[in-house]
PDB file of all heavy atoms in Angstrom:
ATOM      1  N   SER O 474       7.048  12.305  -9.707  1.00 97.00           N
ATOM      2  CA  SER O 474       7.679  13.480  -9.105  1.00 97.00           C
ATOM      3  C   SER O 474       7.112  14.784  -9.655  1.00 97.00           C
ATOM      4  O   SER O 474       6.906  15.747  -8.902  1.00 97.00           O
ATOM      5  CB  SER O 474       9.192  13.436  -9.308  1.00 97.00           C
ATOM      6  OG  SER O 474       9.530  13.469 -10.679  1.00 97.00           O
ATOM      7  N   SER O 475       6.821  14.846 -10.975  1.00 98.00           N
ATOM      8  CA  SER O 475       6.219  16.069 -11.512  1.00 98.00           C
ATOM      9  C   SER O 475       4.832  16.283 -10.910  1.00 98.00           C
ATOM     10  O   SER O 475       4.436  17.419 -10.618  1.00 98.00           O
ATOM     11  CB  SER O 475       6.158  16.007 -13.036  1.00 98.00           C
ATOM     12  OG  SER O 475       5.385  14.899 -13.468  1.00 98.00           O
ATOM     13  N   PHE O 476       4.096  15.182 -10.708  1.00 98.00           N
ATOM     14  CA  PHE O 476       2.796  15.270 -10.050  1.00 98.00           C
ATOM     15  C   PHE O 476       2.958  15.808  -8.628  1.00 98.00           C
ATOM     16  O   PHE O 476       2.167  16.649  -8.178  1.00 98.00           O
ATOM     17  CB  PHE O 476       2.138  13.896 -10.037  1.00 98.00           C
ATOM     18  CG  PHE O 476       0.749  13.875  -9.466  1.00 98.00           C
ATOM     19  CD1 PHE O 476      -0.320  14.431 -10.157  1.00 98.00           C
ATOM     20  CD2 PHE O 476       0.499  13.284  -8.234  1.00 98.00           C
ATOM     21  CE1 PHE O 476      -1.606  14.410  -9.629  1.00 98.00           C
ATOM     22  CE2 PHE O 476      -0.777  13.252  -7.698  1.00 98.00           C
ATOM     23  CZ  PHE O 476      -1.840  13.819  -8.399  1.00 98.00           C
ATOM     24  N   ALA O 477       3.994  15.345  -7.918  1.00 98.00           N
ATOM     25  CA  ALA O 477       4.241  15.832  -6.561  1.00 98.00           C
ATOM     26  C   ALA O 477       4.665  17.301  -6.563  1.00 98.00           C
ATOM     27  O   ALA O 477       4.365  18.041  -5.617  1.00 98.00           O
ATOM     28  CB  ALA O 477       5.316  14.982  -5.885  1.00 98.00           C
ATOM     29  N   HIS O 478       5.338  17.732  -7.610  1.00 97.00           N
ATOM     30  CA  HIS O 478       5.773  19.126  -7.684  1.00 97.00           C
ATOM     31  C   HIS O 478       4.600  20.069  -7.932  1.00 97.00           C
ATOM     32  O   HIS O 478       4.445  21.070  -7.232  1.00 97.00           O
ATOM     33  CB  HIS O 478       6.819  19.291  -8.786  1.00 97.00           C
ATOM     34  CG  HIS O 478       8.222  19.022  -8.336  1.00 97.00           C
ATOM     35  ND1 HIS O 478       9.097  20.017  -7.959  1.00 97.00           N
ATOM     36  CD2 HIS O 478       8.897  17.861  -8.186  1.00 97.00           C
ATOM     37  CE1 HIS O 478      10.254  19.489  -7.610  1.00 97.00           C
ATOM     38  NE2 HIS O 478      10.160  18.174  -7.740  1.00 97.00           N
ATOM     39  N   ASP O 479       3.761  19.758  -8.929  1.00 96.00           N
ATOM     40  CA  ASP O 479       2.734  20.746  -9.284  1.00 96.00           C
ATOM     41  C   ASP O 479       1.392  20.154  -9.696  1.00 96.00           C
ATOM     42  O   ASP O 479       0.515  20.868 -10.187  1.00 96.00           O
ATOM     43  CB  ASP O 479       3.250  21.658 -10.393  1.00 96.00           C
ATOM     44  CG  ASP O 479       3.621  20.907 -11.675  1.00 96.00           C
ATOM     45  OD1 ASP O 479       3.137  19.776 -11.875  1.00 96.00           O
ATOM     46  OD2 ASP O 479       4.410  21.456 -12.465  1.00 96.00           O
ATOM     47  N   GLY O 480       1.199  18.825  -9.535  1.00 97.00           N
ATOM     48  CA  GLY O 480      -0.105  18.233  -9.798  1.00 97.00           C
ATOM     49  C   GLY O 480      -0.344  17.788 -11.217  1.00 97.00           C
ATOM     50  O   GLY O 480      -1.448  17.336 -11.531  1.00 97.00           O
ATOM     51  N   VAL O 481       0.684  17.874 -12.088  1.00 97.00           N
ATOM     52  CA  VAL O 481       0.531  17.432 -13.476  1.00 97.00           C
ATOM     53  C   VAL O 481       1.595  16.378 -13.771  1.00 97.00           C
ATOM     54  O   VAL O 481       2.783  16.694 -13.793  1.00 97.00           O
ATOM     55  CB  VAL O 481       0.673  18.602 -14.466  1.00 97.00           C
ATOM     56  CG1 VAL O 481       0.518  18.099 -15.906  1.00 97.00           C
ATOM     57  CG2 VAL O 481      -0.345  19.694 -14.159  1.00 97.00           C
ATOM     58  N   PRO O 482       1.211  15.115 -13.970  1.00 98.00           N
ATOM     59  CA  PRO O 482       2.209  14.084 -14.267  1.00 98.00           C
ATOM     60  C   PRO O 482       2.700  14.207 -15.698  1.00 98.00           C
ATOM     61  O   PRO O 482       1.890  14.218 -16.643  1.00 98.00           O
ATOM     62  CB  PRO O 482       1.445  12.771 -14.039  1.00 98.00           C
ATOM     63  CG  PRO O 482       0.010  13.130 -14.298  1.00 98.00           C
ATOM     64  CD  PRO O 482      -0.150  14.562 -13.893  1.00 98.00           C
ATOM     65  N   ARG O 483       4.005  14.295 -15.885  1.00 96.00           N
ATOM     66  CA  ARG O 483       4.547  14.437 -17.231  1.00 96.00           C
ATOM     67  C   ARG O 483       5.975  13.916 -17.277  1.00 96.00           C
ATOM     68  O   ARG O 483       6.668  13.833 -16.268  1.00 96.00           O
ATOM     69  CB  ARG O 483       4.504  15.900 -17.701  1.00 96.00           C
ATOM     70  CG  ARG O 483       5.271  16.845 -16.797  1.00 96.00           C
ATOM     71  CD  ARG O 483       5.000  18.304 -17.172  1.00 96.00           C
ATOM     72  NE  ARG O 483       5.678  19.217 -16.258  1.00 96.00           N
ATOM     73  CZ  ARG O 483       5.195  19.590 -15.083  1.00 96.00           C
ATOM     74  NH1 ARG O 483       4.008  19.134 -14.680  1.00 96.00           N
ATOM     75  NH2 ARG O 483       5.868  20.403 -14.309  1.00 96.00           N
ATOM     76  N   SER O 484       6.393  13.589 -18.474  1.00 96.00           N
ATOM     77  CA  SER O 484       7.739  13.121 -18.734  1.00 96.00           C
ATOM     78  C   SER O 484       8.034  13.383 -20.199  1.00 96.00           C
ATOM     79  O   SER O 484       7.122  13.367 -21.039  1.00 96.00           O
ATOM     80  CB  SER O 484       7.867  11.621 -18.424  1.00 96.00           C
ATOM     81  OG  SER O 484       9.061  11.086 -18.958  1.00 96.00           O
ATOM     82  N   GLU O 485       9.287  13.601 -20.525  1.00 94.00           N
ATOM     83  CA  GLU O 485       9.657  13.803 -21.924  1.00 94.00           C
ATOM     84  C   GLU O 485       9.302  12.585 -22.772  1.00 94.00           C
ATOM     85  O   GLU O 485       9.100  12.699 -23.974  1.00 94.00           O
ATOM     86  CB  GLU O 485      11.154  14.095 -22.035  1.00 94.00           C
ATOM     87  CG  GLU O 485      11.567  15.442 -21.452  1.00 94.00           C
ATOM     88  CD  GLU O 485      13.055  15.692 -21.597  1.00 94.00           C
ATOM     89  OE1 GLU O 485      13.756  14.780 -22.105  1.00 94.00           O
ATOM     90  OE2 GLU O 485      13.511  16.782 -21.212  1.00 94.00           O
ATOM     91  N   ALA O 486       9.233  11.402 -22.136  1.00 93.00           N
ATOM     92  CA  ALA O 486       8.953  10.166 -22.873  1.00 93.00           C
ATOM     93  C   ALA O 486       7.471   9.905 -23.075  1.00 93.00           C
ATOM     94  O   ALA O 486       7.099   8.943 -23.747  1.00 93.00           O
ATOM     95  CB  ALA O 486       9.581   8.984 -22.130  1.00 93.00           C
ATOM     96  N   VAL O 487       6.593  10.732 -22.485  1.00 95.00           N
ATOM     97  CA  VAL O 487       5.158  10.451 -22.466  1.00 95.00           C
ATOM     98  C   VAL O 487       4.411  11.451 -23.332  1.00 95.00           C
ATOM     99  O   VAL O 487       4.635  12.660 -23.227  1.00 95.00           O
ATOM    100  CB  VAL O 487       4.631  10.497 -21.016  1.00 95.00           C
ATOM    101  CG1 VAL O 487       3.114  10.393 -20.968  1.00 95.00           C
ATOM    102  CG2 VAL O 487       5.259   9.372 -20.206  1.00 95.00           C
ATOM    103  N   PRO O 488       3.514  10.976 -24.192  1.00 92.00           N
ATOM    104  CA  PRO O 488       2.676  11.913 -24.958  1.00 92.00           C
ATOM    105  C   PRO O 488       1.732  12.654 -24.023  1.00 92.00           C
ATOM    106  O   PRO O 488       1.624  12.333 -22.841  1.00 92.00           O
ATOM    107  CB  PRO O 488       1.903  10.984 -25.908  1.00 92.00           C
ATOM    108  CG  PRO O 488       1.908   9.652 -25.239  1.00 92.00           C
ATOM    109  CD  PRO O 488       3.214   9.566 -24.492  1.00 92.00           C
ATOM    110  N   TYR O 489       1.038  13.633 -24.562  1.00 93.00           N
ATOM    111  CA  TYR O 489       0.086  14.387 -23.743  1.00 93.00           C
ATOM    112  C   TYR O 489      -0.870  13.423 -23.055  1.00 93.00           C
ATOM    113  O   TYR O 489      -1.511  12.585 -23.685  1.00 93.00           O
ATOM    114  CB  TYR O 489      -0.698  15.375 -24.612  1.00 93.00           C
ATOM    115  CG  TYR O 489      -1.843  16.015 -23.859  1.00 93.00           C
ATOM    116  CD1 TYR O 489      -1.603  16.918 -22.828  1.00 93.00           C
ATOM    117  CD2 TYR O 489      -3.165  15.683 -24.165  1.00 93.00           C
ATOM    118  CE1 TYR O 489      -2.646  17.490 -22.130  1.00 93.00           C
ATOM    119  CE2 TYR O 489      -4.223  16.251 -23.461  1.00 93.00           C
ATOM    120  CZ  TYR O 489      -3.959  17.154 -22.448  1.00 93.00           C
ATOM    121  OH  TYR O 489      -4.989  17.702 -21.736  1.00 93.00           O
TER     122      TYR O 489
END
Side-chain angles (χ1 to χ4, degrees):
S474 62
S475 60
F476 184 71
H478 273 263
D479 60 21
V481 180
R483 59 190 177 277
S484 166
E485 291 181 357
V487 172
Y489 171 69

